[in-house]
Amino acid sequence: MTSPLPLLAVQSALYARLKADAALLGKVSGVYDFVPEDVAFPYIVIGEAIETPDNSHDRYGRQTVHTLHVWDQYRGFKRVLQIGGLVNALLDHQPLTIPGLAHVATRYEFGQPLTDPTPPGDIRHLVLRYRIVTEQTP
């Protein structure tokens, strides 16, 4: 049996977890993979991902690193950092339901607040990265 690529399954699990939280959805206009042009700030984008093998002698495993982006036009970083705190509480060391895979761990790797330099320069951006370890179910 070959090992599946869990990128989509993990992305779907992250999306489901974030979309299911009323407190988070009370702070953002949405959680997106593709952002519509008319979306209101603040919002979250499930962005880039990297996947690497994490196999053992008797099973297929993967480490999938997903990057999330929080975007806002609030003056200062306070609001994106508050939203990032909510996201972190939902994901860091929390179990995920991933169809077809056994969830081993979700670990917060880093967060970095940035100011988008594109004029007018009023967009705040928080980059969050999580490592999700999975195993193929028997």
Side-chain angles (χ1 to χ4, degrees), residues 46-115:
I46 298 176
E48 305 77 15
I50 299 169
E51 182 179 279
T52 56
D54 190 22
N55 302 325
S56 72
H57 297 289
D58 62 347
R59 57 123 184 110
Y60 291 106
R62 293 287 188 268
Q63 292 197 23
T64 308
V65 179
H66 273 271
T67 303
L68 306 179
H69 304 272
V70 181
W71 295 93
D72 198 5
Q73 282 186 315
Y74 184 80
R75 294 182 148 210
F77 289 107
K78 179 180 179 181
R79 205 157 70 173
V80 294
L81 293 173
Q82 289 173 334
I83 293 166
L86 292 172
V87 169
N88 209 43
L90 291 169
L91 298 179
D92 187 33
H93 287 82
Q94 300 301 313
L96 287 173
T97 301
I98 307 170
L101 296 169
H103 176 262
V104 176
T106 299
R107 296 183 190 103
Y108 171 71
E109 286 198 344
F110 77 82
Q112 181 180 14
L114 302 165
T115 301

Side-chain angles (χ1 to χ4, degrees), residues 35-40:
V35 182
E37 284 189 33
D38 60 346
V39 69

Side-chain angles (χ1 to χ4, degrees), residues 1 5 9-10 19 21 25 29 31 41 43 46 50 52 58 60 64 72 75 80 82 85 102 125 129 136:
M1 173 185 247
L5 294 176
V10 173
K19 289 288 286 188
D21 190 74
L25 293 183
S29 65
V31 178
F41 289 98
Y43 59 87
I46 298 176
I50 299 169
T52 56
D58 62 347
Y60 291 106
T64 308
D72 198 5
R75 294 182 148 210
V80 294
Q82 289 173 334
H125 178 197
R129 192 163 76 188
Q136 187 173 2

